[in-house]
Amino acid sequence: MTGGDEVRILRAGDRAAVAWKNGGGVTREIAAWPEGASMADFGWRASLAEVAADGPFSAFPGVDRTLTLAEGAGMDLTVAGERRLVDERYAPQEFPGDAPTDCRLLGGPVVNFNVMYRRDRVRARTAVVRGTLALAAAEGETLLLVALLGPAELDTGAGPGVGAGAGDGAGDGRGTGIGTGAAGGQVLLGPYDAARISGPATCLLRTRGHAAVVTLAARPGR
């Protein structure tokens, strides 16, 4: 999907708030592929969505969605006529992004971590972890790590370099990085900070809170 052996640090404070496709809420893009893709032509897109009122979700034809409740009491969703209760934090839930979806808030505003991907172009898996975890991105894979609760520490060891200086993670959510050949190291991810890792690469993730780990890869022939 992208050139390999690179880590980019994407700081939460550098993200711009953008109105939903249907105008019913606000989203902050963390990362997308291809870089610079619009809402109409992304292969995959990860974001944080702030939902402050009841109403419908935007429809995305040909897109699957993994939604993880990060803040708030949750939502009572109706997806294609079927009820889907989202009231447990840090528990990823999958549903089609092109199915009509209505939302009723259970107890005030929520923040959701969203991963959306074209089902015919991309494979995506989302897990929420805590503790210490060794991670590997194979050739052609991308790992996206997001600190959802509390800080997380990313240790790249002797692997790819890390771009983590001031100015990383511009408003487009892509940030900057240093490729193969730079010394590895440790980077602290604050709340909602993210790291985008292009394979082949390995790293160690530590957190006492909760961090999302998303594995993304283009489907064969794409």
Side-chain angles (χ1 to χ4, degrees):
M1 293 173 65
T2 61
D5 207 16
E6 182 181 74
V7 177
R8 295 182 179 184
I9 304 304
L10 311 171
R11 298 297 183 188
D14 295 327
R15 298 174 194 143
V18 178
W20 285 6
K21 180 181 175 183
N22 69 0
V26 170
T27 185
R28 298 176 190 271
E29 182 179 291
I30 299 171
W33 175 80
E35 293 191 359
S38 71
M39 297 291 281
D41 60 8
F42 64 82
W44 62 260
R45 180 178 183 269
S47 65
L48 288 162
E50 301 171 14
V51 186
D54 299 347
F57 280 9
S58 302
F60 290 89
V63 169
D64 282 334
R65 181 199 301 261
T66 303
L67 182 151
T68 303
L69 178 67
E71 294 182 33
M75 303 169 293
D76 188 353
L77 302 181
T78 302
V79 183
E82 296 185 2
R83 187 183 183 195
R84 177 78 68 90
L85 191 63
V86 180
D87 61 351
E88 181 182 355
R89 293 187 189 180
Y90 316 118
Q93 298 205 34
E94 300 178 354
F95 59 94
D98 45 11
T101 301
D102 288 309
C103 168
R104 182 177 66 82
L105 296 173
L106 295 178
V110 302
V111 175
N112 298 320
F113 172 58
N114 281 306
V115 178
M116 297 189 294
Y117 55 98
R118 308 281 172 188
R119 63 176 66 98
D120 64 340
R121 296 173 58 188
V122 174
R123 292 182 290 108
R125 302 188 304 273
T126 300
V128 176
V129 303
R130 64 187 312 176
T132 300
L133 187 67
L135 300 171
E139 179 74 37
E141 285 187 338
T142 296
L143 288 179
L144 184 67
L145 315 178
V146 184
L148 296 181
L149 176 66
E153 184 181 90
L154 177 65
D155 188 348
T156 62
V162 177
D168 283 358
D172 59 9
R174 294 192 295 273
T176 59
I178 303 174
T180 308
Q186 296 180 346
V187 175
L188 184 66
L189 302 177
Y192 294 136
D193 285 349
R196 176 175 176 167
I197 303 170
S198 301
T202 60
C203 65
L204 195 67
L205 178 68
R206 302 182 182 92
T207 179
R208 294 182 180 179
H210 291 84
V213 178
V214 186
T215 305
L216 301 136
R219 291 191 178 278
R222 297 291 176 175

